[in-house]
């Protein structure tokens, strides 16, 4: 991972790992899944710029100024920062803020303060992503359904109920997976982008003057004329780039090349044509600022466009929801959230997963947001802060990666990072100014998720410290045990342990209560690596320690689903010992956490960790261990 060139190559090799899927099919798939969020931004971006809150009128200079800011935001933030540069910073083909965090941490001393700060930044960014996952479905579906007001103002009272019903249907459909539905996502989204471009061209023909907005002078003129107040409009401009981070996060599903091709050849041109078309219509009809997207649609196409916009909004919601599943699984594997049930919805594509708990929590939160804000205008005030803060964190992490891993390119990338930082900071300040108008919601939500993630991580560390402190060293325990060995019974016992040097509690309890020892005993530790997929030559490590006792280490990548029995069965292929599935019993400790006042965390966090630990999915499901082969033995631990 020495240069951007090497990273790009790894992204391409990953894309080639899609079996027989060719580049055109991957481009279509990427358009359907990756660009849903940013593709629905025209529904509400220009409309919010002219909301009464900002006091702007739809005159010539103002329209061109806002359009210029939107165009250059798309060019600087999405095209240059994400598509051209950050997508080269992949972790073995995987993207997203957690992949960038692990890359940045590799450049720093392990266990040092800098690595800790980078970890905090990465986890806070991931927490904000969950806030975005709540607001995006709400604002996109509401923005689409609000087109009914343009067609028939009397339908206003039905907008919220219709949006609620659509969102409930979206979340209930998740259990069936996106494999079948995903095949139609790409074509529908392509039709959506073509429609955006067609409506844009139709209106630009009437007012070609709007094309002058591509000149950055109009954006600069807007700032000069409106003074410090103009910074606030960046809180609306950021709506045009929401979804930019998703391009990077979803890179592992399609590879970098298909996403780049889709952006350069279709998505960016269609988006800008539509924004310019809306601006052209406002120049001709200043009263259309109330909802320029739907006002710019010819009357005969209004109802079909409302239907198409609703379908595009559902697809945008789908992309963010499945992204939340992926981030949740990464956080789970890296030890930041408790184990949860993960269901695979596709036999061919490992990335298509369904996490029931995340799904239902998201559904409740999204419906609460719709009922609380009741409109895309009110939600626009809440939207943007989490996205802009995540983008700012991405810029800081990119600077670290470029400085350490890209020696040939850092002289170009680091000055650009300064530009990105200024732009991102402007977005954060503009959205922060809307804190009391609704931006408080994603901030509070992000802080709550961040608290849960850090509490689980720190609680696990304290738990392991206590277990290690009270534990007995294997090297001193086994020789003493074998001086007067207990009765040996046939079969293999696998004892799950987080610390390879300490005797598992489950073994001590088994000896104490059952007074027997199996013929063959395995101390098994599962380790999650900071790469997406564990190399086969590093998957399994077996160390005999005498008297038919073995230490076994199984490694999984953070994008993999740990399947312990399967990994053990394959140990024979790797020259290891043979595990007969019907003759192997798994033993695990199930700790009961007791909060202690004198330990590592405040009591309220201890109690929060105890609650999370109590409700975590058992090892049976998470490690795919058959329930009829597992014995769990309890232990009480004070932290």
């Amino acid at each position: 991972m020495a240069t951007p060139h090497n990273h790009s190559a790894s992204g391409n090799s990953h894309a080639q790992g899609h079996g027989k899927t060719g580049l055109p099919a991957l481009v279509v798939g990427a358009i359907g899944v990756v660009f849903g969020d940013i593709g629905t931004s025209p529904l509400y971006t220009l409309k919010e710029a002219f909301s009464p809150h900002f006091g702007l009128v739809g005159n010539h200079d103002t329209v061109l100024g806002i359009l210029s800011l939107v165009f250059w935001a798309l060019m600087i933030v999405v095209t240059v920062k994400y598509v051209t540069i950050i997508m080269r910073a992949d972790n073995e083909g995987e993207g997203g803020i957690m992949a960038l965090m692990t890359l940045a941490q590799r450049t720093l001393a392990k266990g040092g303060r800098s690595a800790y700060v980078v970890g905090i930044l990465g986890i806070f960014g991931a927490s904000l992503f969950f806030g975005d996952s709540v607001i995006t479905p709400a604002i996109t579906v509401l923005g689409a359904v609000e087109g009914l007001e343009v067609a028939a103002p009397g339908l206003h009272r039905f907008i919220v109920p219709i949006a609620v019903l659509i969102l409930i249907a979206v979340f209930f459909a998740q259990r069936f997976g996106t494999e079948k539905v995903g095949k139609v996502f790409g074509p529908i989204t392509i039709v959506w982008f073509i429609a955006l471009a067609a409506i844009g061209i139709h209106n630009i023909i009437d007012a070609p003057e709007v094309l002058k907005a591509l000149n950055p002078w109009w954006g600069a003129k807007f700032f000069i004329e409106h003074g410090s107040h103009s910074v606030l409009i960046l809180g609306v401009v950021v709506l045009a780039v929401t979804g930019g981070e998703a391009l990077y996060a979803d890179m592992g599903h399609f590879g970098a090349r298909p996403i780049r091709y889709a952006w350069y050849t279709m998505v960016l041109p269609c988006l800008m044509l539509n924004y310019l078309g809306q601006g052209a219509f406002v120049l001709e009809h200043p009263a259309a600022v109330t909802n320029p997207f739907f006002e710019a649609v010819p009357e005969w196409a209004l109802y079909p466009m409302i239907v198409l916009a609703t379908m595009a909004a559902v697809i945008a919601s789908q992309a963010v929801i499945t992204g939340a599943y992926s981030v949740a699984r990464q956080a789970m594997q890296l030890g930041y959230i408790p184990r949860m049930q993960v269901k695979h919805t596709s036999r061919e594509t490992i990335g298509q997963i369904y996490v029931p708990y995340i799904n239902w929590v998201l559904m409740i939160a999204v419906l609460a947001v719709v009922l609380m804000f009741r409109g895309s205008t009110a939600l626009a005030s809440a939207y943007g802060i989490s996205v802009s803060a995540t983008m700012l964190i991405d810029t800081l992490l990119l600077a670290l990666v470029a400085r350490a891993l890209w020696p040939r390119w850092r002289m170009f990338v680091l000055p650009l990072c300064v530009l990105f930082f200024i732009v991102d900071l402007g977005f954060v300040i503009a959205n922060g100014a809307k804190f009391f108008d609704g931006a408080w919601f994603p901030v509070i939500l992000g802080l709550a998720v961040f608290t849960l993630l850090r509490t689980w991580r720190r609680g696990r560390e304290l738990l392991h410290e206590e277990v290690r402190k009270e534990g007995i060293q294997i090297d001193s325990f086994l020789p003493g045990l074998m001086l007067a060995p207990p009765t040996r019974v046939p079969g293999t016992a696998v004892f799950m342990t987080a610390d390879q040097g300490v005797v598992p509690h489950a073994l001590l309890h088994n000896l104490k209560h059952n007074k027997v020892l199996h013929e063959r005993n395995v101390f098994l530790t599962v380790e999650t690596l900071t790469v997406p997929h564990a190399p086969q030559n590093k998957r399994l490590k077996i160390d005999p320690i005498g008297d038919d006792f073995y230490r076994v280490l199984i490694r999984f990548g953070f994008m993999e689903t740990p399947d312990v029995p399967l990994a053990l069965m394959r140990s024979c292929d790797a020259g290891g010992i043979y595990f007969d599935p019907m003759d192997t019993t798994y033993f695990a400790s199930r700790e009961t956490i007791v909060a202690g006042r004198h330990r590592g965390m405040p009591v309220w966090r201890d109690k929060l960790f105890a609650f999370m630990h109590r409700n975590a999915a058992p090892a049976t499901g998470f490690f795919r261990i058959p329930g009829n082969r597992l014995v769990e033995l309890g232990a009480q631990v004070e932290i």
Side-chain angles (χ1 to χ4, degrees):
M1 295 186 177
T3 68
H5 176 75
N6 288 348
H7 284 295
S8 181
S10 78
N12 292 345
S13 66
H14 190 82
Q16 289 164 4
H18 288 268
K20 297 178 181 178
T21 308
L23 185 61
L26 288 173
V27 170
V28 171
I31 289 172
V33 174
V34 176
F35 296 101
D37 189 358
I38 201 166
T40 50
S41 296
L43 283 169
Y44 42 78
T45 301
L46 223 57
K47 172 188 170 186
E48 298 314 319
F50 290 102
S51 69
H53 177 76
F54 296 105
L56 298 176
V57 291
N59 60 35
H60 176 274
D61 287 10
T62 302
V63 170
L64 263 60
I66 290 170
L67 288 174
S68 183
L69 292 174
V70 166
F71 173 71
W72 287 103
L74 285 168
M75 293 305 294
I76 293 169
V77 176
V78 184
T79 306
V80 179
K81 177 180 164 184
Y82 280 103
V83 177
T84 306
I85 299 177
I86 287 193
M87 282 177 65
R88 297 178 185 274
D90 65 280
N91 188 352
E92 294 194 5
E94 292 293 338
I97 193 164
M98 297 192 87
L100 193 60
M101 176 190 77
T102 54
L103 275 179
Q105 283 181 318
R106 283 182 210 163
T107 70
L108 305 166
K110 194 172 183 181
R113 185 155 189 82
S114 298
Y116 174 78
V117 171
V118 166
I120 292 288
L121 277 175
I123 293 307
F124 186 60
S127 304
L128 290 172
F129 178 82
F130 283 106
D132 184 29
S133 301
V134 169
I135 295 178
T136 296
I139 194 171
T140 50
V141 172
L142 277 170
V145 178
E146 280 169 356
L148 290 171
E149 282 185 297
V150 176
L155 295 175
H156 172 77
R157 59 199 173 99
F158 294 108
I159 286 171
V160 171
I162 290 171
V164 166
L165 289 173
I166 290 170
L167 287 164
I168 289 173
V170 168
F171 282 102
F172 269 87
Q174 296 302 313
R175 70 179 75 182
F176 304 111
T178 58
E179 185 174 20
K180 292 176 182 174
V181 184
K183 289 176 182 175
V184 298
F185 277 7
I188 288 174
T189 315
I190 287 172
V191 172
W192 167 252
F193 281 119
I194 291 171
L196 289 183
I199 292 165
I201 292 168
H202 172 75
N203 289 289
I204 291 169
I205 290 169
D206 294 334
E209 172 76 7
V210 80
L211 293 172
K212 290 181 179 177
L214 301 183
N215 185 340
W217 161 246
W218 289 101
K221 190 169 184 284
F222 181 89
F223 274 99
I224 293 166
E225 289 181 354
H226 292 83
S228 58
H229 180 72
S230 60
V231 176
L232 298 179
I233 205 67
L234 291 177
V236 172
V237 175
V238 76
L239 297 177
V241 298
T242 54
E245 211 275 342
L247 312 191
Y248 178 47
D250 288 333
M251 188 171 65
H253 294 288
F254 299 98
R257 277 179 62 210
I259 292 175
R260 285 198 185 104
Y261 283 12
W263 175 254
Y264 293 136
T265 61
M266 184 168 206
V267 179
L268 176 61
C270 292
L271 284 176
M272 271 321 300
L273 283 170
N274 189 262
Y275 282 124
L276 291 168
Q278 288 185 50
F281 192 82
V282 171
L283 288 180
E284 294 288 300
H285 310 87
V289 293
T290 52
N291 197 332
F293 180 85
F294 285 108
E295 293 282 1
V297 177
E299 193 173 336
W300 62 266
L302 189 55
Y303 281 107
M305 200 62 192
I306 291 169
V307 173
L308 187 58
T310 305
M311 292 169 77
V314 168
I315 292 168
S317 306
Q318 181 73 42
V320 178
I321 294 164
T322 51
Y325 299 155
S326 295
V327 171
R329 181 170 68 172
Q330 290 183 35
M332 213 183 301
Q333 293 287 65
L334 292 172
Y336 284 101
I337 58 174
R339 293 186 299 264
M340 298 176 192
Q341 183 186 24
V342 177
K343 293 184 177 179
H344 287 260
T345 58
S346 168
R347 291 180 181 274
E348 286 79 28
T349 309
I350 194 166
Q352 292 187 7
I353 56 171
Y354 167 60
V355 186
Y357 186 82
I358 297 291
N359 186 66
W360 302 126
V361 168
L362 269 183
M363 186 184 83
I364 292 166
V366 169
L367 295 180
V369 165
V370 170
L371 296 173
M372 190 189 312
F373 290 91
R374 306 190 72 81
S376 63
T377 298
L379 258 175
S381 299
Y383 203 30
I385 185 68
S386 55
V387 177
S388 52
T390 304
M391 288 179 169
L392 181 64
I393 292 168
D394 280 342
T395 297
L396 297 173
L397 296 179
L398 172 66
L400 277 174
V401 171
R403 185 179 62 85
L405 299 182
W406 299 347
R408 285 175 52 200
W409 299 94
R410 62 186 173 203
M411 62 183 290
F412 304 106
V413 176
L414 291 179
L416 283 172
C417 283
V418 175
L419 172 64
F420 300 152
F421 180 81
I422 292 168
V423 173
D424 292 336
L425 189 62
F427 286 150
V428 170
I429 292 169
N431 283 287
K434 301 187 289 185
F435 186 82
F436 294 106
D437 293 330
W440 59 269
F441 179 80
V443 172
I444 297 297
L445 189 61
L447 287 172
V449 174
F450 177 75
T451 302
L452 291 173
L453 267 57
R454 286 300 305 166
T455 298
W456 180 256
R457 177 79 166 198
R458 181 63 182 143
R460 292 288 294 170
E461 288 171 359
L462 292 171
L463 175 61
H464 290 151
E465 282 174 20
E466 290 301 315
V467 170
R468 198 176 299 120
K469 200 185 300 178
E470 297 172 7
I472 304 168
Q473 292 297 311
I474 288 175
D475 294 340
S476 58
F477 173 77
L478 286 183
L481 177 68
M482 299 319 292
L483 288 175
T487 304
R488 307 283 288 242
V489 295
T492 300
V494 177
F495 295 94
M496 312 284 291
T497 176
D499 190 332
Q500 287 190 300
V502 175
V503 180
H505 277 185
L507 173 60
L508 296 174
H509 285 292
N510 189 44
L511 286 171
K512 180 180 177 183
H513 298 293
N514 298 326
K515 299 178 175 58
V516 294
L517 201 60
H518 281 70
E519 255 177 354
R520 188 166 55 177
N521 297 274
V522 173
F523 301 132
L524 174 66
T525 302
V526 178
E527 182 183 335
T528 302
L529 304 178
T530 56
V531 295
H533 305 279
Q536 282 304 316
N537 61 339
K538 292 185 178 179
R539 171 78 73 197
L540 197 73
K541 184 182 176 187
I542 301 175
D543 290 325
I545 49 179
D547 296 304
D548 276 328
F549 280 85
Y550 300 86
R551 278 196 187 99
V552 175
L553 174 65
I554 302 177
R555 296 183 178 96
F556 295 100
F558 65 78
M559 288 296 289
E560 296 180 273
T561 298
D563 192 327
V564 167
L566 183 62
L568 290 178
M569 282 175 65
R570 288 177 176 170
S571 72
C572 193
D573 300 335
I577 52 180
Y578 174 67
F579 288 88
D580 181 354
M582 301 308 296
D583 204 28
T584 302
T585 305
Y586 296 86
F587 289 83
S589 295
R590 185 80 169 166
E591 296 90 357
T592 301
I593 308 300
V594 178
R597 292 185 178 277
H598 56 288
R599 305 297 173 104
M601 291 192 297
V603 174
W604 70 268
R605 286 185 70 191
D606 284 342
K607 290 182 176 177
L608 176 61
F609 173 68
F611 173 79
M612 294 168 75
H613 190 272
R614 204 163 47 243
N615 290 280
T620 320
F622 190 71
F623 293 119
R624 298 209 162 186
I625 295 168
N628 59 354
R629 310 301 308 169
L630 179 79
V631 176
E632 284 193 316
L633 299 163
Q636 186 168 295
V637 180
E638 183 180 350
I639 62 168

